[in-house]
Amino acid sequence: MEQFTAFSDAERRRLDELVSDRRERHAIREDIIADGAHSPDCHVILSGLACRYKILPDGTRQIMAFLIPGDLCDAEIFILKVMDHGVAAMTPTVTALVSAEDMKAMLRETGCLGEALWWGTMTDLGVLRERIIDHGRRNAYERIAHLLYEMLVRYRMVELTRDDSFDFPITQTDLADATGLTPVHANRTLQKLRGDGLIETSGKTIRVCDPPRLKDVAQFNGAYLHLDRVHEPARVGQRPGDLV
C-alpha cells in the first residue's frame, strides 16, 4: 500500500495490529475462499502465493490473477453475499484475517488508509484488464513475456527479488491456465524465451536475464499498476520508475 502513499506511524501501527491479530495457514491447492462461499473476514496474503481462479462446467480452470504478499484476496466480500470466483493457495501460504467491519471503517475514512485500499482495488482491476488484452491481442510469446515481466515488477514492489530473480513456484499447467494456452504450448513458449536469452529457470526460480528486452517483447506499459501515484520513493534512492 505504501507504493501509493506514505503512512503515518499511527496508520502503520494500525495496519500491523490488524494483520497480526488473526492468521490462517493454507496448504498447496487449498481454497483460501471458495467460489460461491461467504466469509465474515477479508484475507491478506502475508507469505506464499495464491491465485484467483474459476472452474468452468467442463472442469477446465482459468487463472485470472496471481496474488503475492501484501495483496488482498477478497476485499469485495463484505459487499457481496458470496464470492463469484475462488482464491486458492499455490504454495504454503499464510493469510491475515481482517474483519468486514474493520474493512468498512477503513474504506469510509478520508485519510491515507482508505485511499490506499481503493488504490489496491484499482490495481487489481488493472491486472484483470491486462488479462483480457492477453487473450484478445497478445500472442503466446508476448502473453507469457508480459506475465513474467509483470510478476518481476510486482515482486520488486515488495522486495522479493534478487538480481532480477524471483521465486514463482507454479507448474506448467498453472501457467497454461493463466495464459489460456495448452501446457504443451506454454512449455514451448518458455523454452523459446529461454533460448532467446530473455529468462533462465532454476527449479521454481525465474531470472530475467535482460529486463529491458523482455519488457520490449511484452510491450509492457506499467501504467495499470498505478505506480505513478507514489508520493515518496519506496526506498532510499529509489523512484517509481525504477520498479518498472
Side-chain angles (χ1 to χ4, degrees):
M1 290 182 182
E2 283 198 303
Q3 295 303 323
F4 172 82
T5 187
F7 293 137
S8 67
D9 290 341
E11 288 170 326
R12 198 175 289 109
R13 283 195 301 271
R14 183 177 175 193
L15 282 176
D16 286 343
E17 290 169 359
L18 286 174
V19 299
S20 299
D21 187 24
R22 292 177 297 141
R23 297 184 176 186
E24 284 186 345
R25 295 183 179 276
H26 309 273
I28 298 175
R29 308 296 171 187
E30 178 187 348
D31 274 334
I32 295 172
I33 184 165
D35 189 359
H38 179 78
S39 171
D41 303 298
C42 297
H43 297 76
V44 183
I45 304 292
L46 296 183
S47 65
L49 178 70
C51 72
R52 298 188 188 280
Y53 75 95
K54 190 82 176 179
I55 301 294
L56 279 64
D58 63 1
T60 55
R61 178 184 62 163
Q62 177 67 50
I63 291 176
M64 296 166 286
F66 292 104
L67 302 172
I68 66 173
D71 285 341
L72 275 165
C73 297
D74 46 6
E76 67 273 34
I77 194 61
F78 68 89
I79 297 173
L80 305 176
K81 290 185 178 180
V82 297
M83 287 286 284
D84 57 16
H85 65 279
V87 177
M90 308 292 288
T91 67
T93 299
V94 177
T95 61
L97 278 64
V98 180
S99 74
E101 292 307 312
D102 284 328
M103 286 293 296
K104 288 178 183 178
M106 285 192 288
L107 286 170
R108 287 169 181 158
E109 293 174 1
T110 57
C112 294
L113 286 177
E115 289 183 0
L117 284 171
W118 281 116
W119 171 81
T121 299
M122 294 301 101
T123 300
D124 202 21
L125 291 173
V127 170
L128 291 175
R129 284 190 288 271
E130 286 299 313
R131 297 294 81 79
I132 294 172
I133 296 170
D134 275 346
H135 296 292
R137 287 292 179 261
R138 294 187 181 110
N139 61 35
Y141 191 70
E142 295 164 345
R143 202 177 294 182
I144 292 182
H146 194 279
L147 175 63
L148 295 181
Y149 195 85
E150 176 189 287
M151 297 308 298
L152 173 65
V153 171
R154 292 174 61 201
Y155 275 119
R156 280 175 179 169
M157 289 168 62
V158 292
E159 294 192 302
L160 289 176
T161 59
R162 305 173 302 279
D163 299 324
D164 294 321
S165 297
F166 57 95
D167 293 331
F168 197 39
I170 65 171
T171 67
Q172 288 180 7
T173 298
D174 296 331
L175 182 60
D177 288 350
T179 54
L181 305 171
T182 66
V184 171
H185 197 175
N187 181 43
R188 287 174 178 166
T189 305
L190 275 179
Q191 289 180 7
K192 180 168 174 53
L193 287 166
R194 285 194 291 261
D196 290 344
L198 293 173
I199 65 168
E200 291 179 352
T201 57
S202 177
K204 298 301 182 181
T205 299
I206 292 176
R207 185 172 81 87
V208 178
C209 306
D210 191 339
R213 197 152 64 94
L214 183 65
K215 180 179 180 180
D216 184 60
V217 166
Q219 302 177 51
F220 185 89
N221 182 333
Y224 69 98
L225 296 175
H226 304 296
L227 296 180
D228 59 315
R229 294 299 303 273
V230 179
H231 289 265
E232 295 180 357
R235 304 290 176 264
V236 175
Q238 181 187 74
R239 297 187 180 278
D242 297 334
L243 296 170
V244 297

